[in-house]
Amino acid sequence: MSLRDPNCVFCRIAAGEIPSKKVYEDDDIFAFHDIHPWAPVHFLMVPKEHVTSMAHVGPRHEPVLGRMMALAGKLAQQEGARPYPEGGFRVVVNTGADGGQEVHHLHIHVIGGPRPWLKG
Ligand code: 5GP
Ligand code: ZN
């Protein structure tokens, strides 16, 4: 499925048009390092399809969101998060203005690694 917004920075990153440090890619999902990390591990996971926010998610998105959640922990460890329970990681989805969303393409922040962190 190719439902891209040509003006969306995360659509362009997922398509390889804007460079990023890739963590993972398959047909439906792209993961890459956050450009301003707040912790030793901080990457973003996005559906390749343009979905504006978590508020725009419907039944059609359940498979890809489920796969993203199931992958998050594996990728976090691959990127340097220590195992549960001493280690672990945080998953954040900022949504809308009150939720602090700055980029309007649904993304899951996966944050981890030994503290201190810059935020959180
Ligand atoms: P939000 O506040 O929307 O949840 O977070 C957007 C995140 O995307 C921020 O943490 C920001 O650092 C990251 N970001 C914004 N633009 C880019 C970019 O062009 N490349 C990468 N790798 N990260 C970006
Ligand atoms: Zn997009």
Side-chain angles (χ1 to χ4, degrees), residues 9-10 13 32-36 44 94 100-103 107 109:
V9 64
F10 286 178
I13 286 175
F32 55 102
H33 288 272
D34 195 293
I35 206 164
H36 293 127
L44 306 174
N94 296 324
Q101 184 178 4
E102 290 176 359
V103 177
H107 52 281
H109 292 257

Side-chain angles (χ1 to χ4, degrees), residues 1 14 24-30 46-49 63-64 67-68:
M1 172 156 12
Y24 175 83
E25 179 173 17
D26 65 29
D27 286 349
D28 304 312
I29 297 167
F30 195 87
V46 301
K48 285 189 172 176
E49 175 186 339
V64 71
R67 291 194 50 243
M68 287 164 75

Side-chain angles (χ1 to χ4, degrees), residues 6 16 18 25-26 33 58 63 69 73 75 81 106 119:
I18 294 176
E25 179 173 17
D26 65 29
H33 288 272
M69 293 303 267
L75 296 181
L106 172 62
K119 290 201 252 181

Side-chain angles (χ1 to χ4, degrees), residues 6-119:
N7 300 313
C8 168
V9 64
F10 286 178
C11 281
R12 298 190 65 202
I13 286 175
E17 292 170 10
I18 294 176
S20 68
K21 283 171 67 184
K22 181 161 86 176
V23 168
Y24 175 83
E25 179 173 17
D26 65 29
D27 286 349
D28 304 312
I29 297 167
F30 195 87
F32 55 102
H33 288 272
D34 195 293
I35 206 164
H36 293 127
W38 350 318
V41 175
H42 187 173
F43 62 89
L44 306 174
M45 304 180 74
V46 301
K48 285 189 172 176
E49 175 186 339
H50 181 84
V51 182
T52 302
S53 81
M54 190 70 115
H56 296 75
V57 162
R60 192 162 72 74
H61 306 107
E62 285 173 5
V64 71
L65 282 175
R67 291 194 50 243
M68 287 164 75
M69 293 303 267
L71 259 171
K74 268 186 244 176
L75 296 181
Q77 276 205 46
Q78 180 186 300
E79 293 303 309
R82 296 168 298 164
Y84 179 95
E86 294 79 12
F89 56 91
R90 179 176 292 176
V91 166
V92 174
V93 184
N94 296 324
T95 306
D98 286 348
Q101 184 178 4
E102 290 176 359
V103 177
H104 294 273
H105 178 132
L106 172 62
H107 52 281
I108 299 179
H109 292 257
V110 182
I111 303 159
R115 288 173 179 273
W117 297 355
L118 287 181
K119 290 201 252 181

